[in-house]
Amino acid sequence: MSLAEITSRIRKAEQAAGRAEGSVRLIAVSKVQPLDRIEAVLDQGHRLFGENRVQEAAGKWPDFRARHNGVEVHLIGPLQSNKVKQAMDLFEAIHSVDREKLARRIADEAQARGACPELFIQVNTGEEQQKAGVMPAEVDGFVAACRAMDLPVRGLMCIPPVEEEPALHFALLAKFAARNGLDGLSMGMSGDFESAIALGATHVRVGSAIFGERVKPA
Ligand SMILES: *Cc1c(COP(=O)(O)O)cnc(C)c1O
């Protein structure tokens, strides 16, 4: 698979769903990929990337940004409250806001800076014990709490359980977003981004289908 093929599959999925061309943004998930593979995707003109660890992103993106204009990096993995400042230096968006304490830290820091990354609230649609994200029953209250802190909530994000039909989770996330007046939906990965687009994804997070299998586990 290549960047061009993924992009063309996204355009086809947009069309099939009757959605405007370019309404879906492709986040190329570059975690644990060798630097030369990332460089190759940058050289093809792609500018939006996703990382799931603050430390790992800090080790490579300042340098890539110095050499390529217009780069945007989104945090798609868990964020500890004590890394909020660093994350706000590194990322244009955070897709993993999932608890009050974290939201509060981001709000305080945003106040101090007069700027804030776009935020997605992660929802644990499968109600899995080990997984991050607010529980479905808490979504509306948490969105309201974030808005009360003046946080720029762009939308919702989910990672469906591996053994379940992802479309059910995408549909659920879209329903939660709609009833909260949100139209940003961060959902869909290498194996299911077309289904996510059919159900309203605005941001798909695709790693291995662009870069090849990750060389070490993420
Ligand atoms: C790694 C990761 C992806 C990309 O997964 P692929 O299956 O390689 O496309 C998407 N979202 C999150 C949160 C990830 O951690």
Side-chain angles (χ1 to χ4, degrees), residues 123-128 134 136 157-161 169-170 172-173 176:
V123 182
N124 188 352
T125 54
E127 304 192 44
E128 295 172 278
V134 301
M157 176 271 214
C158 77
I159 307 171
H169 295 271
F170 299 153
L172 197 59
L173 196 71
F176 296 156

Side-chain angles (χ1 to χ4, degrees), residues 94-156:
I94 297 170
H95 292 237
S96 50
V97 181
D98 65 353
R99 57 199 192 279
E100 192 107 12
K101 182 183 173 192
L102 176 60
R104 179 75 53 198
R105 282 283 175 91
I106 295 172
D108 289 346
E109 190 59 27
Q111 199 87 69
R113 297 175 184 222
C116 190
E118 281 195 334
L119 304 177
F120 290 81
I121 292 168
Q122 184 172 351
V123 182
N124 188 352
T125 54
E127 304 192 44
E128 295 172 278
Q129 282 299 332
Q130 79 290 359
K131 202 167 266 179
V134 301
M135 289 297 171
E138 297 161 358
V139 173
D140 299 1
F142 191 65
V143 170
C146 289
R147 283 177 167 153
M149 293 179 220
D150 273 334
L151 289 171
V153 181
R154 174 72 182 83
L156 305 180

